[in-house]
Amino acid sequence: MISHFSLDQIDESVAALQARTSKRPRVAIILGSGLNDLAASVKSPDAISFGELPHFPVSTVFGHAGRIVIGELEGQTVFVMQGRIHFYEGYSMAQVTLPIRIMQRLGVEILIVTNAAGGVNPDYVPGDVMLITDNLNFLGMMGHNPLMGPNYDEIGPRFPDMSRPYDRDLCALARTAASKNNINLREGVYAGVSGPSFEGPADLRFLRMAGADAVGMSTVPEVIVARHGNMRVLGFSGISNKANLDGSTVTTHEEVIEAGKIITPKIEKLIRGVLQRL
Ligand code: HPA
């Protein structure tokens, strides 16, 4: 397992990408489980499979396409990750977050992260979309922070501030986009855990007590690296299942993918609305 990448290795991936596209994206969008369809809306796309870039890990999860699509959406040049890399696939934190470093070196200024998540807040129902206002970094607290290892001062500070992981101005744009599209946008805290097993009832009661509104197996490492690299971040969780606080229901990956069909059009409207207002 690769514990960290040198700047030269990161730039090799960047050079390979630049050999495939002349576009210079300002905004990157990561599409989570079941949310891949948005990439089809990108105009004049250049598509690159993850496996075509040196050092780039390959996503092994059903429901994740594993492509980068660079093109135009609502007047912005966007870098869309159709699928992402997860820690539970057995990749290192450095591998999970290599795409973010590539975005940063390409000049991306804004990262929009999306994910499928379990609703921990009892008011949430499957199909809801939650604006992520903050996160709980359980992986980092357990010693899996993607910034561990050598720090390259030219791409970010050793001890980066995390007081505002999610950009307030971008959150305001998302709220405007939600009200213009009559979307009941939830707001809350996303708890990032490793997976791949879903949480048990006691895990979920603990997460609720800790202040989590949603729980998922991604996003937080990406956001930490993006903030380290001074990118502005906006995040949406699609609530794909209700947390099973009393052990009365079963959670499956199939229902996560199924809920994505209701969530995708809402997230697409929100992202389009934000891009129009940048
Ligand atoms: N838990 C963790 N990750 C998830 C869930 C969940 O219930 N649903 C979708 N991703």
Side-chain angles (χ1 to χ4, degrees):
M1 200 153 50
I2 297 153
S3 64
H4 72 276
F5 293 104
S6 66
L7 273 186
D8 284 346
Q9 286 175 314
I10 295 167
D11 288 341
E12 274 168 30
S13 296
V14 172
L17 194 64
Q18 284 175 326
R20 296 288 309 276
T21 182
S22 54
K23 301 192 171 76
R24 294 290 166 264
R26 175 181 174 218
V27 181
I29 304 168
I30 301 180
L31 301 177
S33 296
L35 308 176
N36 284 316
D37 291 355
L38 183 65
S41 311
V42 172
K43 301 257 161 39
S44 48
D46 292 327
I48 301 113
S49 297
F50 289 175
E52 292 178 72
L53 299 179
H55 314 297
F56 212 97
V58 176
S59 176
T60 61
V61 190
F62 171 75
H64 283 258
R67 293 195 312 166
I68 296 166
V69 179
I70 300 183
E72 309 300 320
L73 195 62
E74 298 297 338
Q76 299 285 341
T77 305
V78 293
F79 174 126
V80 180
M81 290 258 299
Q82 214 178 1
R84 57 149 61 81
I85 319 300
H86 300 86
F87 189 56
Y88 63 72
E89 294 174 78
Y91 291 116
S92 66
M93 278 288 154
Q95 289 171 301
V96 167
T97 56
L98 178 65
I100 314 297
R101 287 298 181 212
I102 293 171
M103 292 166 189
Q104 182 189 353
R105 300 293 274 179
L106 268 179
V108 168
E109 296 165 18
I110 293 173
L111 173 65
I112 304 178
V113 281
T114 70
N115 56 56
V120 180
N121 185 320
D123 294 341
Y124 291 4
V125 292
D128 278 351
V129 177
M130 182 188 91
L131 175 68
I132 307 176
T133 53
D134 201 351
N135 59 225
L136 276 162
N137 180 14
F138 281 110
L139 284 164
M141 292 181 211
M142 296 295 173
H144 296 293
N145 190 303
L147 303 179
M148 287 169 72
N151 187 67
Y152 307 115
D153 293 338
E154 54 269 61
I155 58 173
R158 173 77 285 188
F159 300 108
D161 174 61
M162 286 292 152
S163 56
R164 291 179 191 184
Y166 299 88
D167 187 271
R168 292 183 182 183
D169 294 335
L170 294 177
C171 286
L173 295 184
R175 290 184 192 105
T176 305
S179 66
K180 293 261 189 268
N181 288 285
N182 290 317
I183 294 169
N184 176 16
L185 184 62
R186 310 286 196 166
E187 297 197 14
V189 174
Y190 173 89
V193 297
S194 81
S197 51
F198 290 113
E199 300 68 39
D203 294 319
L204 291 162
R205 287 193 296 270
F206 169 76
L207 290 173
R208 186 66 193 140
M209 263 188 338
D213 295 291
V215 57
M217 305 174 192
S218 66
T219 302
V220 177
E222 298 158 355
V223 171
I224 289 171
V225 171
R227 292 300 302 137
H228 179 253
N230 206 27
M231 290 160 71
R232 296 164 63 203
V233 178
L234 176 67
F236 298 108
S237 286
I239 305 300
S240 52
N241 52 286
K242 236 174 146 52
N244 174 19
L245 287 138
D246 61 1
S248 60
T249 54
V250 173
T251 304
T252 65
H253 188 56
E254 288 67 33
E255 76 181 303
V256 172
I257 300 296
E258 215 32 56
K261 293 178 189 156
I262 307 169
I263 293 162
T264 299
K266 292 189 198 176
I267 289 195
E268 171 157 357
K269 287 191 188 110
L270 292 168
I271 290 178
R272 283 183 183 276
V274 169
L275 293 176
Q276 285 161 6
R277 292 173 175 84
L278 284 178

